[in-house]
C-alpha cells in the first residue's frame, strides 16, 4: 500500500568538499588512481560558505563535511571555520578516514566541528591495508586518539564485509576499541550503491551483524536519535551504546531530511539516484536565493515512501566519493 506520510523538510546536508581520497576502499572506489574531477569543475574553497548560506536560508540546520576524503583538501580548516560561522548552522560534523587526523583533530575542533565520525573497518594492519587498498592502520589509530583528546562527540563507522578477508570476526573488538576512545561504534550494512553493487555478495545482513555483537548488548531494543539520520542505537552492557546503519535491510527513505552537495556544485536529493540539480553557477554568482531555489527543485524529485525513483540500476551507477556516502 502506498504511504501518505508527509515528506520531511530538508534539514541536513552533506557537503562533499572534494572527490579526492587517499584510500580506495573496496566498496567505495575502484582503485587508487581512478579519475577525479578536473580542477576547473571543482568548487573553490571560498564558495562553500555561500552554499551553506543558501541551504540554511531554506531551513537546513545540520551540516556534515565529507568527501572523497575531506581532510586531503588543503583548505579544509578554512572551509570549516567559514561554515561554522554561517547563521543557522546548529550542528557541524565531519566524516573522515582518519589518515590525516593526528595533525588535524585539534584545528578542526577549534574551527567549530563538534561531531566526528571516523571510518575503521579492521584492526588487523594487513586486512586494513587490503580493504582500503593501501591504508596504514597506525595512522588511523593515532587519528582516533587525537580526536578523543580534542573532545569531539565521536563515532566510528565500520562497514561489515562478509566473505574471504571480511571483518565479521572483528566487530566486537572494534566496538571495544571505540568505547576505549569514548566513541560510539556503529556498524554499517554494505550498501549496493556504486562500487558496493559490484561486491553485493559480501553483504552481511543486520540480523547476522547483531548476532556477532549479541554478547555485548544489554537487550533487544533499538531506537533512533531524534533529528540525527538513519542510524539506530542499541544499549550495550556497561551503560554504553552501539549503532547500526541498515542501508540494505531497511531503506530508511521515509523521514529522510537529508540532501547532498557534490564537489562540483550538484545538489543531490538522494544517495541512490542520479537525480541532481546544478547549482554551480548560482554558487559562483553568490546568488543565495538561486541556491535555495535549487534546493526546492531537488527536494521536489526526492524519492519518498510513495515514489520509487530509486532502482538497483540507479543505485549501482552512483559514485560514492562524489556523493559523500
Ligand atoms: N573518506 C571519508 C570516510 O572514509 O569516512 C568520507 C567519505 S566515505 C564515502 C563516507 C562513509 O561512507 C564511510 O563511512 C564509508 O565507509 C561509507 N561507505 C562508502 N561506500 C559504502 C557502501 N557501498 N556501503 C556502505 N557504506 C559505504
Amino acid at each position: 500500500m502506498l504511504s501518505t506520510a508527509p515528506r520531511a523538510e530538508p534539514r541536513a546536508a552533506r557537503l562533499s568538499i572534494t572527490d579526492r581520497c587517499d584510500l580506495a576502499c573496496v566498496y567505495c572506489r575502484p582503485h587508487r588512481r581512478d579519475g577525479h574531477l578536473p580542477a576547473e569543475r571543482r568548487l573553490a574553497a571560498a564558495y562553500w560558505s555561500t552554499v551553506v548560506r543558501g541551504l540554511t536560508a531554506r531551513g537546513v540546520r545540520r551540516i556534515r563535511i565529507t568527501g572523497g576524503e575531506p581532510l586531503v583538501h588543503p583548505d579544509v580548516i578554512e572551509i570549516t571555520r567559514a561554515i561554522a560561522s554561517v547563521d543557522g548552522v546548529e550542528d557541524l560534523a565531519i566524516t573522515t578516514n582518519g589518515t590525516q587526523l593526528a595533525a588535524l583533530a585539534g584545528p578542526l575542533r577549534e574551527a567549530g566541528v563538534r561531531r566526528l565520525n571516523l571510518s575503521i573497518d579492521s584492526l588487523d594492519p594487513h586486512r586494513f591495508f587490503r580493504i582500503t587498498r593501501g591504508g596504514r592502520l597506525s595512522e588511523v589509530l593515532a587519528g582516533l586518539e587525537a580526536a578523543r583528546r580534542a573532545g569531539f562527540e565521536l563515532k566510528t563507522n565500520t562497514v561489515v564485509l562478509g566473505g574471504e578477508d571480511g571483518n565479521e570476526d572483528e566487530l566486537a573488538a572494534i566496538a571495544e576499541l571505540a568505547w576505549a576512545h569514548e566513541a560510539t561504534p556503529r556498524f554499517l550494512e554494505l550498501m549496493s550503491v556504486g562500487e558496493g553493487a559490484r561486491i553485493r555478495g559480501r553483504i552481511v545482513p543486520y540480523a547476522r551483524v547483531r548476532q556477532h555483537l549479541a554478547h555485548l548488548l544489554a537487550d533487544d531494543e533499538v531506537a533512533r536519535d531524534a533529528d540525527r539520520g538513519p542510524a539506530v542505537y542499541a544499549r550495550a552492557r556497561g551503560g554504553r551504546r552501539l549503532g547500526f546503519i541498515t542501508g540494505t535491510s531497511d531503506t530508511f527513505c521515509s523521514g529522510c531530511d537529508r540532501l547532498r552537495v557534490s564537489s562540483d556544485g550538484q545538489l543531490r536529493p538522494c544517495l541512490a539516484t542520479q537525480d541532481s540539480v546544478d547549482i554551480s553557477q548560482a554558487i559562483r554568482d553568490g546568488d543565495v536565493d538561486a541556491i535555495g531555489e535549487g534546493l526546492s527543485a531537488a527536494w521536489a524529485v526526492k524519492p519518498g515512501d510513495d515514489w520509487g525513483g530509486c532502482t538497483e540500476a540507479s543505485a549501482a551507477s552512483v559514485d560514492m566519493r562524489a556523493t559523500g556516502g
Side-chain angles (χ1 to χ4, degrees):
M1 203 172 79
L2 296 183
S3 161
T4 53
R7 185 184 288 263
E9 294 295 315
R11 290 284 176 263
R14 296 173 76 102
L15 313 180
S16 177
I17 63 168
T18 177
D19 61 337
R20 290 173 181 269
C21 189
D22 51 344
L23 303 179
C25 298
V26 292
Y27 46 75
C28 190
R29 196 171 155 215
H31 51 81
R32 280 168 81 96
R33 280 178 303 282
D34 67 325
H36 294 285
L37 284 175
E40 65 275 12
R41 277 188 53 200
R42 261 181 267 138
L43 290 179
Y47 288 129
W48 284 104
S49 58
T50 308
V51 174
V52 173
R53 282 195 289 127
L55 301 180
T56 53
R58 299 286 174 122
V60 169
R61 294 289 171 260
R62 308 191 310 275
I63 302 290
R64 177 170 295 278
I65 298 171
T66 178
E69 171 47 43
L71 302 194
V72 302
H73 195 303
D75 303 315
V76 64
I77 302 299
E78 290 70 23
I79 293 172
T80 303
R81 189 173 292 119
I83 292 173
S85 69
V86 173
D87 271 352
V89 174
E90 293 173 0
D91 182 38
L92 183 56
I94 195 161
T95 299
T96 174
N97 64 25
T99 60
Q100 319 290 313
L101 199 54
L104 291 178
L108 281 171
R109 185 75 187 93
E110 180 271 327
V113 179
R114 200 174 64 78
R115 299 191 296 121
L116 187 144
N117 292 358
L118 180 137
S119 302
I120 183 162
D121 293 339
S122 176
L123 301 183
D124 172 321
H126 302 292
R127 186 183 279 170
F128 184 86
F129 183 92
R130 290 191 294 272
I131 292 175
T132 58
R133 297 197 180 97
R136 288 202 199 108
L137 177 65
S138 57
E139 291 176 348
V140 177
L141 294 178
L144 179 60
E145 174 56 20
R148 185 195 66 76
R149 272 189 271 113
F152 290 100
E153 184 184 316
L154 201 53
K155 296 192 180 89
T156 58
N157 283 341
T158 300
V159 176
V160 183
L161 287 166
E164 203 181 322
D165 215 20
N167 56 5
E168 287 186 85
D169 56 337
E170 295 194 62
L171 306 188
I174 293 172
E176 295 288 358
L177 174 89
W179 287 325
H181 288 81
E182 297 158 46
T184 301
R186 303 198 306 180
F187 297 93
L188 284 63
E189 275 182 332
L190 173 67
M191 286 189 292
S192 194
V193 170
E195 281 301 294
R198 274 171 265 285
I199 57 166
R200 71 180 63 177
R202 299 184 69 183
I203 291 172
V204 180
Y206 171 55
R208 196 158 96 214
V209 176
R210 270 196 83 110
Q211 277 169 14
H212 288 306
L213 296 161
H215 61 291
L216 298 175
L217 299 177
D219 56 44
D220 293 337
E221 303 297 313
V222 288
R224 209 158 250 150
D225 282 353
D227 298 334
R228 277 291 177 82
V232 293
Y233 292 91
R235 276 191 294 272
R237 295 176 197 278
R240 303 174 298 190
R241 278 182 8 128
L242 191 151
F244 301 98
I245 301 186
T246 56
T248 297
S249 302
D250 171 9
T251 62
F252 45 69
C253 298
S254 92
C256 176
D257 64 357
R258 177 185 285 192
L259 42 75
R260 295 170 164 80
V261 184
S262 64
S263 55
D264 58 346
Q266 307 297 311
L267 201 43
R268 305 180 65 119
C270 172
L271 178 64
T273 71
Q274 288 287 15
D275 291 329
S276 64
V277 173
D278 185 355
I279 55 167
S280 57
Q281 196 55 51
I283 296 168
R284 291 190 169 97
D285 293 344
D287 189 340
V288 168
D289 288 341
I291 295 171
E293 281 156 27
L295 184 157
S296 300
W299 209 251
V301 295
K302 185 177 177 66
D305 274 0
D306 54 350
W307 184 65
C310 148
T311 63
E312 257 184 37
S314 73
S317 69
V318 164
D319 181 347
M320 200 63 133
R321 77 202 141 92
T323 53

